[in-house]
Amino acid sequence: SLPSPSSPPSPPSPPSPNSVMSAPSLVGHKCVLAKIPFFKALLSETWREGQRPGQGEEPLNGPLNGEEDASEALEASVLQQSVAEVDIDGFTKDGVRIEIFSKLLDFIYTGSEDVIPESPNDITELVVAAERVGVTQLVRLCERDLIVFLANDTEGNENCNENARALSGFARAYNLRRLARHIDATLALS
C-alpha cells in the first residue's frame, strides 16, 4: 500500500548484500590491514577504501544535544577512522569467494594456520587470494597442506595421478616449488 500523504517518506533501504549493484566487501581495522603492503597501498587516500566517509564534503556542525552526544559522535568518528571497508570485487571476479577471503583476513589478524580449509579446492582459492595480497607465510602453509593432501592421496587412490596433474599447472603458476617437486616425484613413481 502507498503511504498516506501526511506520513513522511521512509528513507531508502540500503542495498542487500546479494544485490547485483553492491560490490562485495569486508571490514577490517586499518592498523591491522596496513601491515600488509597491498592493503597499506589500498588504504592510502588515493583509493576509495582509504578515504574517510564524507571526505571532500562540508563538515557537519557539532552535536545538537550536549556533551553526551558529543562523546558518542567522537566515538563514532574514531571508529569510522579506525576501520576500513575493503572492496573485494576483483577477488570475487577471479573466483575467490567471500568465505575464503575472510579466512585470509582471519590469518592476518591471528596468524593461526587453523584458518586453512581442509578441501584442496578451497586451499588453492586461498593461495590465489594470499599470493595476490602478498601474505607469503599463508601461501607457504597452504602449499604444505596441498603436499600433505597429495601424499595422503597416493596411498591406495587410483586418482592420485589425476589430482597431481590437476595441481601441477597451479603449482607452477603460483611458484609453489615444493609442491611442484612433490608432484613431479609422484608422477615419476607411477
Side-chain angles (χ1 to χ4, degrees), residues 3-75:
S4 69
S6 62
S7 64
S10 58
S13 59
S16 87
N18 299 327
S19 166
V20 173
M21 294 184 66
S22 70
S25 63
L26 293 170
V27 176
H29 293 90
K30 289 180 182 179
C31 63
V32 174
L33 296 177
K35 293 179 181 181
I36 308 299
F38 175 88
F39 289 115
K40 185 175 185 175
L42 188 67
L43 295 172
S44 71
E45 290 189 10
T46 305
W47 300 97
R48 178 174 47 94
E49 286 83 352
Q51 295 178 352
R52 293 184 304 275
Q55 189 170 350
E57 299 173 1
E58 290 296 316
L60 297 173
N61 291 332
L64 302 174
N65 297 329
E67 292 294 320
E68 191 170 309
D69 287 341
S71 172
E72 289 174 13
L74 179 60
E75 277 184 42

Side-chain angles (χ1 to χ4, degrees), residues 76-146:
S77 173
V78 168
L79 180 61
Q80 281 182 338
Q81 292 176 17
S82 68
V83 296
E85 185 174 359
V86 178
D87 179 351
I88 62 166
D89 188 45
F91 289 91
T92 57
K93 286 179 180 173
D94 288 342
V96 177
R97 292 170 288 142
I98 290 176
E99 305 83 53
I100 299 298
F101 198 88
S102 293
K103 291 183 178 297
L104 169 65
L105 290 180
D106 288 346
F107 183 80
I108 292 169
Y109 271 84
T110 66
S112 172
E113 60 189 72
D114 292 341
V115 303
I116 300 172
E118 291 183 24
S119 158
N121 291 332
D122 291 349
I123 294 172
T124 58
E125 203 174 318
L126 186 55
V127 167
V128 170
E131 195 275 334
R132 186 164 170 189
V133 300
V135 183
T136 54
Q137 182 183 8
L138 181 56
V139 171
R140 296 299 161 230
L141 291 169
C142 288
E143 180 182 30
R144 178 204 63 198
D145 284 9
L146 288 170

